[in-house]
Amino acid sequence: MYDIDKIRGDFPILSREVNGKPLVYLDNGASAQKPQVVIDAVTRGYAEEYANVHRGLHFLSNLATEKYEAVRGITARFLGAKDEDEIVFTSGTTEGINLVSYAWAAPRLEAGDEIILSVAEHHANIVPWHFLRERQGVVLKWVDLTSEDEIDPQAVLDAITPKTKLIALTHMSNVLGTVVDVKSVVDGAREKGVPVLVDGSQASVHMPVNVDEIGADFYAITGHKLYGPSGSGAIHIKKSRMAEMRPFLGGGDMIRDVGRDVVTYNDPPMKFEAGTPGIVQQIGMGAALEYMMGLGMEKVAAHERRLRDYARDRLNGLNWLNVQGKSSGKGAIFSFTLEGAAHAHDISTVLDKKGVAVRAGHHCAQPLMDHLGVTATCRASFGLYNTEAEVDALVDALELCHELFA
């Protein structure tokens, strides 16, 4: 049973009011709220258990290390990875993708080599590749969406040439909620010897993910969208790819020995984790992942599908609302504009007055905005604690917008 009332009770912030109205938090695509178990884990980590990790011989250091390193196994379990040594801790998906760019791609890509992207990518999965374009002459090849606003795996595979060195794709669009069949891309790319990086920032929140089944070489997630603290995250990297990577950052933990004339690096994953990490942030992410697994990701996905279908029906009933994205199997993410001159920021401001929190702007996806023919949208992104009543509150607030701006 999916007890939505109990689940909502786990998130203290959901009981507050905004502008005299009950908070309706629909900005989960940007960052999700935190359950009490995560807040408690973070508070306990600082109040009772804090010390630097690794190499310490005292009680607190050993305790912090044990709690911190346990998250590697939790993350592997959450992602369906058999080997926790393939989990590298990061501050989020952005750092994870940059790690691949600097540590794996930069040393081996040359001028004229190609990276395939889709127009639906978040800037975090675009800008690191632009660095290589600017600095090394790498060519970025773009795959457009279909008429149904989906990414056709075959179109991605058809874009491969002998110069293609990497495919970098989102698993779920942060703007449209479109789910990409990344496994088909990975299977086809493997036959052509092309590695695949997957941005799992959104998909890992809304649906079960099994990285061993998907088979991607790199799969990145971010903790703050997974109901955990900001500054936490991880990337799953196949060991065969780890062996090809040079260190990204230099400092403590990622070394074995340092001399005047030589340095010996630690084994992966430590090789890619330099300096004092976000200890308590990662422990908090572990608590968040345990919480989600306790609910059951299949149950979370089923709940959100029901919300998606209800929201789609209600929003489609507003004939003056332009909802972006036609994919039927999308996640519970809706981007929209109003007919007329109302800017997304104006719409968001009016919704906020009714206690409804949405995001407005280009959502760090400007190539997709260009493809859609808009400069900005409002985005309502649902999470595991949202309800049909909150969909109704969104619709009521949108009707007020229509009255004001029509």
Side-chain angles (χ1 to χ4, degrees):
M1 179 181 176
Y2 197 83
D3 189 342
I4 189 62
D5 291 333
K6 180 181 183 304
I7 290 167
R8 287 181 64 81
D10 293 337
F11 291 80
I13 201 169
L14 298 182
S15 63
R16 69 160 297 167
E17 292 186 346
V18 171
N19 293 320
K21 305 289 184 181
L23 170 63
V24 177
Y25 188 79
L26 303 179
D27 195 19
N28 299 287
S31 199
Q33 298 298 341
K34 319 306 172 192
Q36 190 64 50
V37 290
V38 170
I39 297 169
D40 289 345
V42 170
T43 301
R44 187 168 57 249
Y46 281 123
E48 302 174 20
E49 302 170 348
Y50 184 78
N52 212 331
V53 293
H54 306 139
R55 299 183 307 280
L57 299 178
H58 58 85
F59 173 82
L60 285 179
S61 180
N62 289 333
L63 179 61
T65 299
E66 179 182 338
K67 293 260 182 138
Y68 174 81
E69 283 298 330
V71 179
R72 211 178 297 276
I74 294 169
T75 306
R77 187 155 45 90
F78 180 77
L79 289 176
K82 293 185 179 66
D83 190 346
E84 66 180 60
D85 286 342
E86 293 186 327
I87 302 296
V88 176
F89 287 146
T90 67
S91 61
T93 296
T94 297
E95 184 184 336
I97 295 174
N98 275 273
L99 167 63
V100 176
S101 175
Y102 280 95
W104 183 85
R108 58 185 19 84
L109 269 62
E110 302 175 347
D113 287 341
E114 299 168 352
I115 298 175
I116 296 174
L117 310 170
S118 83
V119 296
E121 301 310 313
H122 188 282
H123 292 170
N125 197 26
I126 297 175
V127 178
W129 314 123
H130 268 304
F131 287 168
L132 298 183
R133 179 191 59 78
E134 292 176 336
R135 299 168 188 176
Q136 298 178 208
V138 170
V139 176
L140 305 187
K141 293 185 68 176
W142 297 89
V143 175
D144 284 327
L145 303 184
T146 69
S147 59
E148 296 299 312
D149 295 320
E150 296 178 340
I151 297 171
D152 180 3
Q154 191 58 51
V156 177
L157 298 175
D158 288 345
I160 295 174
T161 74
K163 284 284 191 178
T164 304
K165 296 298 187 291
L166 179 69
I167 298 170
L169 291 177
T170 184
H171 198 174
M172 178 186 287
S173 166
N174 71 306
V175 176
L176 304 177
T178 303
V179 179
V180 182
D181 182 3
V182 290
K183 178 170 171 49
S184 290
V185 173
V186 171
D187 290 345
R190 185 185 300 115
E191 293 178 1
K192 299 184 179 184
V194 178
V196 178
L197 176 145
V198 178
D199 174 357
S201 298
Q202 295 293 337
S204 60
V205 183
H206 302 293
M207 55 194 261
V209 169
N210 188 305
V211 293
D212 282 352
E213 289 182 3
I214 293 169
D217 300 83
F218 313 96
Y219 194 102
I221 62 172
T222 192
H224 70 95
K225 297 182 196 296
L226 288 158
Y227 307 95
S230 57
S232 65
I235 182 167
H236 175 263
I237 304 175
K238 284 186 174 181
K239 280 192 173 179
S240 58
R241 296 301 176 194
M242 284 184 172
E244 299 171 346
M245 295 168 65
R246 67 185 182 187
F248 171 33
L249 295 174
D253 267 2
M254 53 77 64
I255 52 84
R256 287 194 181 280
D257 296 291
V258 176
R260 294 192 180 195
D261 301 312
V262 67
V263 58
T264 304
Y265 302 124
N266 209 337
D267 294 330
M270 302 297 292
K271 181 179 180 180
F272 308 111
E273 297 177 1
T276 298
I279 300 164
V280 177
Q281 291 94 321
Q282 296 295 78
I283 292 171
M285 184 179 80
L289 299 184
E290 292 273 32
Y291 177 81
M292 294 181 73
M293 287 188 285
L295 294 179
M297 287 306 297
E298 290 285 0
K299 292 181 180 179
V300 170
H303 170 73
E304 292 189 8
R305 284 194 298 271
R306 289 190 293 271
L307 273 181
R308 175 201 65 195
D309 294 344
Y310 184 71
R312 178 188 281 136
D313 289 344
R314 296 266 8 231
L315 294 174
N316 285 345
L318 307 178
N319 57 16
W320 36 263
L321 191 73
N322 300 314
V323 180
Q324 307 291 339
K326 305 181 188 71
S327 175
S328 59
K330 61 180 280 176
I333 299 173
F334 295 87
S335 289
F336 51 82
T337 57
L338 264 67
E339 290 182 356
H343 191 277
H345 292 170
D346 298 325
I347 300 167
S348 176
T349 299
V350 173
L351 296 184
D352 182 59
K353 296 299 183 184
K354 303 290 284 185
V356 180
V358 299
R359 182 127 317 229
H362 55 60
H363 315 296
C364 292
Q366 286 179 295
L368 181 54
M369 295 291 111
D370 292 342
H371 172 84
L372 296 171
V374 297
T375 57
T377 68
C378 279
R379 181 188 67 191
S381 48
F382 295 84
L384 59 80
Y385 41 59
N386 290 123
T387 66
E388 291 183 355
E390 292 182 312
V391 174
D392 295 336
L394 169 65
V395 171
D396 289 345
L398 285 171
E399 288 176 336
L400 174 61
C401 285
H402 180 54
E403 292 174 12
L404 294 173
F405 297 122

